[in-house]
Amino acid sequence: MVKQMMHTYLLLFRQLLENSFFPGLQPAIAVGSAFEGWSPSEEDVTYCMLMPLVPPKGHTFHLELGAAGEMLSKNSQIRVELGCTCTEGPMEEMLCFLHHPEEELRENQAPSLLHTLCTGSYLDAQKTAHWFHQLVITSWVLLPWSSQYNLKMLPCGRSCKFHMTKGNQKVLSVEIIFGVQLGDSDIYLSSQTAEPGLIPSTMWPQSCVVAEAKFFREMAREVPYNSFHLKCLQICARILEGTAFSTYTFKMVVMHLLTTIPPSDWCREHFLLRLLDIMRYLRCCLQEKRLDHIFFGNEHVPEEIDLPPAFRTAEPPNLFQHLAQDPAAHAEAMREFHYLRER
C-alpha cells in the first residue's frame, strides 16, 4: 500500500512540477527495518521510503563528499550550479538563467532552484523536506485513499512524516527521506541523519540505506524458505531497551554473519546456534573495540550491491571508534553486553 501510494504521488507531483525548477523526483525506494523484514516493534511500524532527487533543467548537482579519504562522511554537501541552456535547440522554451536579464527571468519564468530550496549555493535538506511536506498535503485529496483515510502530518525536520488514520485509529506511519545518488552506486547523500538537530541543514551525510535494503533482498534469494535470520535480528533489536546499544550495531553484526555462515545454516533447527553466534561476534568486537562497516574492504559483499570502487578497497570505518577512544564507555558497553547475554 505504501509503495503504491508513493507511486501515485510521484505521478501527481511530476504533473504539478512540470514547469517548475524544483528537483526532479525519481521512483521512491523502500528502505529501513520495516521493509527489510525485521522491525523491532510490530505494533508501531514506520515505513520509510527514500525519494531520489535529480537536478531540474538548467541546473547541475555537484556532490562534495567531505574530507578527502573520509568514508561515510557526515559533512557531504550538494552544490547547485546553473548551466547555460542557450544552445539546447529551438524546442526549448526555457530562458537561460545565466544569459537572460534578471527582470525578464522574474516576469516570465519560475525561479531557479537556487532561489527556492538552497541556502547559498547548497541544497538545503530542511527546505526540501518542508517543500515536499506541502506537496503531500495539497495532493492528498487527489489520491484514492483520501476517501477512506485521514492524513495527519507530523512536524517536519529533514524528512516528511505522516500518519494515515481511520477514525481515531492509526493505520500507517510513513517517513519520506531524500537522497542524491553517488554516481551509479547504491550509496546516496541522504537527508536522513541520526542527529537531525546537530548538523547544518546543508549537510547531506553519505548513507548506505539503499545498499542495506538491497543486501537483505539478495539474502532472501540465498537463504532457505522460512529462514530465521530476520527473526534473529528482530529478537536482538527488541532486547536493547535500556541499553546504549543501537539496532544498527546488531544489524551490522547479522549482515557480517550472513556473508560468512552458509545460507543453509539459517534454518529453524539452528536458530539458537545463530543467536549464540551473534552474541559471540558482538563480544569479540567489543573486546577488540572494533566493528567494521560491512560495505568497505569486504570481499564477501554480494556483487549485486553497487558500491563505489573506493568502498571495496578502503579501510572500513570502525563503528566502535568511540569505545576505543573512551575507556569508560567501553567498560559500560561490556557491562551492558553481559546484561544482554543474560536476556
Side-chain angles (χ1 to χ4, degrees), residues 59-87:
H59 299 68
T60 55
F61 287 164
H62 295 275
L63 308 189
E64 298 181 355
L65 304 181
E70 182 184 6
M71 295 296 173
L72 293 185
S73 170
K74 296 181 180 179
N75 299 318
S76 297
Q77 294 180 290
I78 302 167
R79 180 162 49 86
V80 178
E81 289 188 356
L82 299 175
C84 177
T85 57
C86 295
T87 60

Side-chain angles (χ1 to χ4, degrees), residues 29 50 52 179-182 185-190 205-207 210:
I29 304 169
L50 182 141
V180 175
Q181 189 176 19
L182 185 55
S185 73
D186 291 321
I187 307 301
Y188 284 73
L189 301 195
S190 167
Q206 293 179 44
S207 171
V210 172

Side-chain angles (χ1 to χ4, degrees), residues 186 214-215 218-219 222 259 295 298-307 312:
D186 291 321
K214 193 172 181 180
F215 176 92
E218 293 301 322
M219 285 297 113
E222 299 290 333
T259 63
F295 290 142
N298 186 352
E299 62 183 12
H300 299 297
V301 174
E303 293 183 358
E304 293 79 6
I305 310 299
D306 295 318
L307 298 174
R312 294 193 179 273

